[in-house]
Amino acid sequence: DAKARFTVDTTKGCSPFDVTITNKSAGNNFAYYWNFGDGFTDTTNSNNTFVDIYHTGVISTFDLRLIAENRCRRDTQTITLLVLPNSIDAHVTVNGNQLEGCVPHTVTFNNSSTGASTLTWDFGDRSPLVKTPNAQNTVNHTYTAAGVYTVSIQLENDCTDTTIYRK
């Protein structure tokens, strides 16, 4: 019986992400059909080790799939890879009518950043830091004392980070 088996040296990395793939399939296979999950495919006829490179500007998952085929049947194995960008595009805004007001004053911060996995918020008023996933589009904060505050937001993933400031 065909047995599609392969290993990768790691399943997570930074773009450009080099992954070493080793075909360990068994079963008198005459063809190996590779789908790299990024629009590229290949067909080989031997067990071998090779490197594939993944590029992305946003956090992406790629399903790396092997189909091993012999004269009796086919078998499939899939490994999911996580590739992180080496850049973060920070986009955080506040509605203009929320830039000032009377205490207690609640401000909604709108996040449409790309490339980050987490954001750490320092609202500038000595309140505890708040950590949110980048997928969270809005963050609310209530200021309880009068003043002008500088907000710092650290955006990060496992490859890079950046900090932006808003007053």
Side-chain angles (χ1 to χ4, degrees):
D1 281 350
K3 295 248 187 261
R5 299 293 180 266
F6 69 98
T7 60
V8 295
D9 60 336
T10 184
T11 59
K12 181 179 178 182
C14 302
S15 179
F17 175 50
D18 295 1
V19 60
T20 301
I21 303 163
T22 303
N23 185 350
K24 297 184 173 189
S25 299
N28 287 330
N29 302 307
F30 62 80
Y32 300 101
Y33 306 100
W34 294 94
N35 184 329
F36 299 101
D38 59 357
F40 293 98
T41 60
D42 193 15
T43 302
T44 61
N45 57 12
S46 64
N47 285 7
N48 56 359
T49 298
F50 58 95
V51 174
D52 194 46
I53 303 171
Y54 291 83
H55 299 272
T56 184
V58 297
I59 298 172
S60 302
T61 57
F62 298 94
D63 289 329
L64 173 57
R65 179 173 295 116
L66 168 63
I67 300 173
E69 181 178 22
N70 64 24
R71 65 181 191 87
C72 298
R73 66 183 287 256
R74 287 179 160 201
D75 188 46
T76 303
Q77 180 189 0
T78 302
I79 294 177
T80 300
L81 306 174
L82 176 63
V83 183
L84 304 164
N86 264 318
S87 63
I88 294 174
D89 192 10
H91 289 286
V92 177
T93 60
V94 174
N95 294 332
N97 62 351
Q98 293 182 345
L99 291 176
E100 55 186 52
C102 299
V103 294
H105 181 65
T106 300
V107 177
T108 300
F109 296 88
N110 302 298
N111 174 40
S112 59
S113 303
T114 58
S117 53
T118 60
L119 286 76
T120 302
W121 302 79
D122 180 344
F123 297 103
D125 60 355
R126 298 189 180 169
S127 61
L129 298 178
V130 174
K131 191 171 228 175
T132 62
N134 190 42
Q136 184 173 332
N137 295 326
T138 60
V139 174
N140 295 317
H141 182 73
T142 301
Y143 290 92
T144 58
V148 176
Y149 298 99
T150 299
V151 178
S152 68
I153 306 128
Q154 182 179 24
L155 301 94
E156 58 189 320
N157 62 37
D158 288 344
C159 301
T160 189
D161 63 65
T162 190
T163 302
I164 60 172
Y165 300 91
R166 298 292 184 258
K167 196 170 235 186

